[in-house]
Amino acid sequence: MTSNRIYPSSLKGGDVTSVLSDEYSQFGSQMFLNRDKHEGCRNCCPRRCLLITCVILLILGALAAVLACAILFGIPPKQPITRLCKTTSGTNGFLCDDRRNCLTSTHMCNGKVDCSNGEDESNLYCGDLPHSLPKYLVFMCGNQRSWTYIDEKCDGKNNCGDCSDESELQCPACSGWKCVTVFFSDCDCIPKSRCRDNIQDCSDMSDEKNCTM
């Protein structure tokens, strides 16, 4: 029985070895190239990570320095809005947030919103009267316990109860009729419009006898 297997006919032993050597050489070179690439990537990554780490440390250091300065020297407080203004009558008033409307002191904390943002009725200014109000809007009476709004001083009415808000030390000279008044709401000066009106305002009746219009 004959075999049909075909054998290489003209290959010499050296030729086979040469071919195999070339194939192994190419494969080995490819392996060395791949290994060089991986080593290059491994060498590149630590440098990049080190650079990122340095940048982060610099940022954290700057933030720490700013925080340390704020603690040592203090953070400057937010400057309050200047509320003092002059009303049309010349008295001290309260300036709204819009920087246009100047309210008289009696418009503060009266239950009616007069500023567009409602700051005239806010708890900041009305939470602990009169202490929560700016001092230039308040007149403390002679007994230092009672108070009245600054634009009620020298208005001819006994707002303090002891007439300290209508005293000669606080107010201009009486432009009406000066006398010892009968009514508690008056002090020692009644307007001339109440002279000879058939109502006794002075204890000596001088407002009906001697007062001139």
Side-chain angles (χ1 to χ4, degrees), residues 7 12-13 24 60 72 82-83 88 95 107 110 120 161 164-165 176 182 193 205:
Y7 295 94
K12 297 181 179 179
Y24 285 132
L60 292 177
L72 290 176
T82 301
R83 298 291 186 178
T88 54
L95 187 63
H107 283 84
N110 63 351
D120 57 308
S164 58
D165 56 312
V182 172
S193 59
M205 289 287 293

Side-chain angles (χ1 to χ4, degrees), residues 18-194:
S18 176
V19 171
L20 293 176
S21 297
D22 290 341
E23 291 179 355
Y24 285 132
S25 177
Q26 292 177 2
F27 179 72
S29 299
Q30 187 66 33
M31 290 180 63
F32 281 119
L33 288 174
N34 291 337
R35 185 175 64 185
D36 290 340
K37 288 182 180 179
H38 288 301
E39 288 180 354
C41 291
R42 285 197 297 269
N43 293 332
C44 177
C45 183
R47 289 195 296 269
R48 185 179 301 171
C49 294
L50 180 61
L51 179 61
I52 294 174
T53 303
C54 291
V55 172
I56 293 174
L57 290 176
L58 287 174
I59 294 174
L60 292 177
L63 292 176
V66 171
L67 181 60
C69 291
I71 294 174
L72 290 176
F73 301 103
I75 300 174
K78 183 179 179 181
Q79 295 297 322
I81 298 175
T82 301
R83 298 291 186 178
L84 177 61
C85 59
K86 289 294 182 181
T87 65
T88 54
S89 61
T91 60
N92 291 335
F94 178 86
L95 187 63
C96 296
D97 284 346
D98 59 15
R99 318 301 290 172
R100 293 191 303 271
N101 292 329
C102 183
L103 305 182
T104 58
S105 59
T106 49
H107 283 84
M108 295 294 296
C109 309
N110 63 351
K112 179 183 177 183
V113 174
D114 295 289
C115 290
S116 57
N117 293 335
E119 56 271 22
D120 57 308
E121 299 296 324
S122 67
N123 190 64
L124 176 64
Y125 297 106
C126 306
D128 183 23
L129 297 175
H131 309 293
S132 52
L133 284 172
K135 292 183 178 180
Y136 52 79
L137 298 180
V138 175
F139 176 81
M140 296 305 297
C141 300
N143 57 20
Q144 295 300 309
R145 293 187 303 273
S146 303
W147 67 280
T148 188
Y149 290 103
I150 196 66
D151 59 318
E152 290 181 331
K153 186 183 75 168
C154 305
D155 64 348
K157 298 178 181 179
N158 184 14
N159 297 292
C160 281
D162 59 2
C163 286
S164 58
D165 56 312
E166 301 296 324
S167 68
E168 293 181 352
L169 295 176
Q170 300 290 336
C171 308
C174 177
S175 59
W177 182 253
K178 191 174 180 63
C179 67
V180 178
T181 57
V182 172
F183 300 105
F184 176 80
S185 58
D186 296 324
C187 290
D188 59 356
C189 181
I190 62 171
K192 287 186 177 181
S193 59
R194 290 163 60 183

